[in-house]
Amino acid sequence: YTLDGEEADPSVVAQNTRLLVVVKVNQNDAWPARVLITDLLPGGFEIENPKLVQSADLAAFDWLPEITAAHTEARSDRSVAAFDRMPEDEREFTFAYLVRAVSPGVYTQPAAAVEDMYRPQLFARTGMGKVEVLGPKP
């Protein structure tokens, strides 16, 4: 998504563009669970860590639903979040983080993975794709 909440086409992005990555999860059962989301970054992108960059704080995006992660990590190649899920929780929940396109090139968009940390047979993955980061025009 763009920072204004408009759906963006991540297949072609200009260098230095900031995008909000939103992962929506629909939990099919009402069991208590510890759900882990691991979203690998395509090459050419970096996470804007909200602990280091104030403008990456998700509270600034009032169009996002409330995000109730028990733990989040902004690693160099992925974003990770853990959620404590209870039977009374809504079945759909959201995780989001901010990225910046930094290095021009064509890259593979890896799949994001969602798994129950203590029941590994319960998992899901998103599709994969290609992204292109466009450099400055000569």
Side-chain angles (χ1 to χ4, degrees), residues 49-72:
N49 189 335
K51 294 176 182 166
L52 302 175
V53 180
Q54 186 176 13
S55 65
D57 187 356
L58 295 179
F61 305 101
D62 57 0
W63 54 269
L64 276 175
E66 183 180 4
I67 296 174
T68 58
H71 176 77
T72 61

Side-chain angles (χ1 to χ4, degrees), residues 96-117:
Y97 61 98
L98 202 61
V99 297
R100 179 185 300 272
V102 292
S103 300
V106 177
Y107 305 98
T108 298
Q109 168 68 54
V114 179
E115 62 185 294
D116 185 319
M117 292 170 60

